[in-house]
């Protein structure tokens, strides 16, 4: 009986609406992230009116977690490892996933925003920020992180759901690079308040991070990074907010065949917490896939997953 109740609770949680993601598109066929994001531009009719950025902001005391961990300096002191956030398509719509990027420590926030705009290394991720956008400046005033972008930032092919997630993408990236996860972020464009953006939202006051449970990929690989080279055994680590703290993993070879599989545990279920496991692999190229456990048998939709391709020497 207890197991049945847990299954029902898990299924109910999986179907909870996500206000920042593309709610109306959960039942559509799986498409590539970039193609799916492009569809948002023509799918705003019939959706609720897009709120202003200030209306969707959470309070400064909003929940934070290890899924939004701050950067760690490298041994050289000249660079810093920073989480940079991108967009991925999931069973609940579009969410944010991160890559750990090694950037200049001298101006980490600017470098992180530039990396966010330029796009991800992982082919499963995407960004809809105009690649022509230039970062004109980053500063902190009265506790608010101010980001000034060129007028190219006003061009984006998204609807209201994608626009709201773009705002959170910038907020999460800037606050991670600044090591201030609860700080509010304000966007200016060519020195003036952003105001209306992309015909879908209004950014007229500082915005803080939304609840990570609502906007982040629920199972995330941080290490290894995409395209990394490693010796064996390989240590895989990240964060997850999963049912009964269970993260399922497998390792695929270049043909797609599973060569290793298993599961690991986070320290706490259904809230973001770190996980780690080690796997011995022969020399070669592999893809590591981590997935949320799914005791509902697919009732809540396709489980969220993340993957990284690496070479073992």
């Amino acid at each position: 009986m207890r197991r049945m109740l847990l299954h029902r609770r898990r299924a109910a949680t999986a179907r909870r609406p996500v206000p920042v993601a593309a709610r109306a598109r959960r039942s559509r066929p799986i498409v590539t992230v970039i193609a799916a994001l492009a569809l948002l531009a023509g799918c705003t009719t019939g959706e609720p009116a897009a709120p202003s950025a200030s209306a969707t902001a959470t309070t400064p005391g909003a929940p934070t977690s290890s899924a939004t961990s701050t950067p760690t300096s490298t041994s050289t002191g000249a660079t810093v490892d920073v989480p940079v956030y991108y967009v991925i398509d999931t069973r609940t719509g579009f969410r944010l996933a991160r890559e750990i990027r090694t950037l200049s420590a001298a101006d980490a926030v600017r470098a992180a925003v530039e990396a966010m705009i330029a796009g991800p290394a992982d082919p499963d991720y995407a960004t809809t920020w105009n690649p022509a956008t230039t970062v004109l400046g980053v500063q902190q005033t009265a506790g608010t992180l101010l980001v000034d972008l060129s007028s190219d930032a006003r061009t984006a092919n998204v609807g209201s759901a994608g626009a709201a997630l773009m705002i959170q993408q910038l907020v999460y990236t800037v606050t991670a690079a600044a090591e201030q996860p609860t700080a509010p972020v304000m966007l200016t464009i060519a020195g003036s308040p952003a105001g209306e953006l992309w015909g879908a939202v209004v950014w007229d006051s500082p915005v803080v991070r939304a609840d990570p449970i609502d906007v982040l990929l629920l199972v995330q690989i941080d290490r290894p990074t995409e395209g990394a080279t490693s010796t064996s055994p390989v240590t895989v680590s990240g964060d997850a907010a999963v049912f009964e703290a269970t993260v399922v993993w497998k390792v695929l070879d270049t043909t797609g065949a599973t060569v290793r599989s298993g599961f690991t545990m986070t320290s706490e279920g259904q809230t973001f917490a770190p996980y780690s496991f080690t796997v011995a692999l022969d020399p070669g190229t592999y893809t590591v896939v981590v997935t949320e456990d799914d005791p509902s048998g697919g009732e809540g939709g396709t489980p969220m997953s993340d993957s990284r391709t690496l070479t073992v020497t």
Side-chain angles (χ1 to χ4, degrees), residues 111-193:
V113 176
E114 290 173 343
M116 181 200 75
I117 292 168
D122 192 316
D124 296 327
Y125 300 168
T127 187
T128 50
W129 287 87
N130 182 352
T133 302
T134 300
V135 181
L136 301 179
V138 176
Q139 60 179 308
Q140 184 164 359
T141 302
T144 296
L145 296 165
L146 304 176
V147 180
D148 190 30
L149 301 180
S150 67
S151 58
D152 303 287
R154 292 196 177 278
T155 303
N157 189 29
V158 293
S160 58
L165 197 58
M166 283 178 70
I167 290 173
Q168 284 298 316
Q169 183 186 2
L170 180 59
V171 169
Y172 266 82
T173 297
V174 169
T175 53
E179 300 184 309
Q180 298 181 52
T182 61
V185 177
M186 183 65 187
L187 174 65
T188 59
I189 295 181
S192 299

Side-chain angles (χ1 to χ4, degrees), residues 72-81 102-106:
T72 302
S73 297
T74 63
S75 58
T76 66
T79 58
V80 64
D81 288 349
T102 302
L103 305 172
S104 169

Side-chain angles (χ1 to χ4, degrees), residues 21-247:
R23 294 181 294 244
R25 286 174 264 294
R26 296 181 185 178
S27 61
R28 55 172 168 69
I30 298 296
V31 293
T32 65
V33 174
I34 294 175
L37 285 168
L39 292 175
L40 285 170
C43 296
T44 57
T45 304
E47 292 183 352
S52 70
S54 57
T56 58
T58 58
T59 62
T64 58
S65 71
S66 59
T68 57
S69 56
T70 54
T72 302
S73 297
T74 63
S75 58
T76 66
T79 58
V80 64
D81 288 349
V82 179
V84 178
Y85 288 81
Y86 299 100
V87 178
I88 188 170
D89 195 11
T90 77
R91 60 176 168 79
T92 61
F94 298 106
R95 285 182 171 246
L96 298 179
R98 66 175 181 256
E99 291 182 339
I100 305 300
R101 306 292 288 269
T102 302
L103 305 172
S104 169
D107 201 352
V109 179
R110 176 191 287 268
V113 176
E114 290 173 343
M116 181 200 75
I117 292 168
D122 192 316
D124 296 327
Y125 300 168
T127 187
T128 50
W129 287 87
N130 182 352
T133 302
T134 300
V135 181
L136 301 179
V138 176
Q139 60 179 308
Q140 184 164 359
T141 302
T144 296
L145 296 165
L146 304 176
V147 180
D148 190 30
L149 301 180
S150 67
S151 58
D152 303 287
R154 292 196 177 278
T155 303
N157 189 29
V158 293
S160 58
L165 197 58
M166 283 178 70
I167 290 173
Q168 284 298 316
Q169 183 186 2
L170 180 59
V171 169
Y172 266 82
T173 297
V174 169
T175 53
E179 300 184 309
Q180 298 181 52
T182 61
V185 177
M186 183 65 187
L187 174 65
T188 59
I189 295 181
S192 299
E196 183 178 345
L197 290 170
W198 316 305
V201 293
V202 176
W203 196 337
D204 55 6
S205 62
V207 179
V208 298
R209 292 181 175 190
D211 189 331
I213 290 292
D214 290 336
V215 297
L216 298 186
L217 185 66
L218 295 181
V219 57
Q220 171 80 58
I221 298 174
D222 288 330
R223 302 288 185 186
T225 57
E226 181 68 19
T229 298
S230 174
T231 57
S232 183
V234 176
T235 298
V236 180
S237 61
D239 285 287
V242 289
F243 180 70
E244 292 190 337
T246 304
V247 176

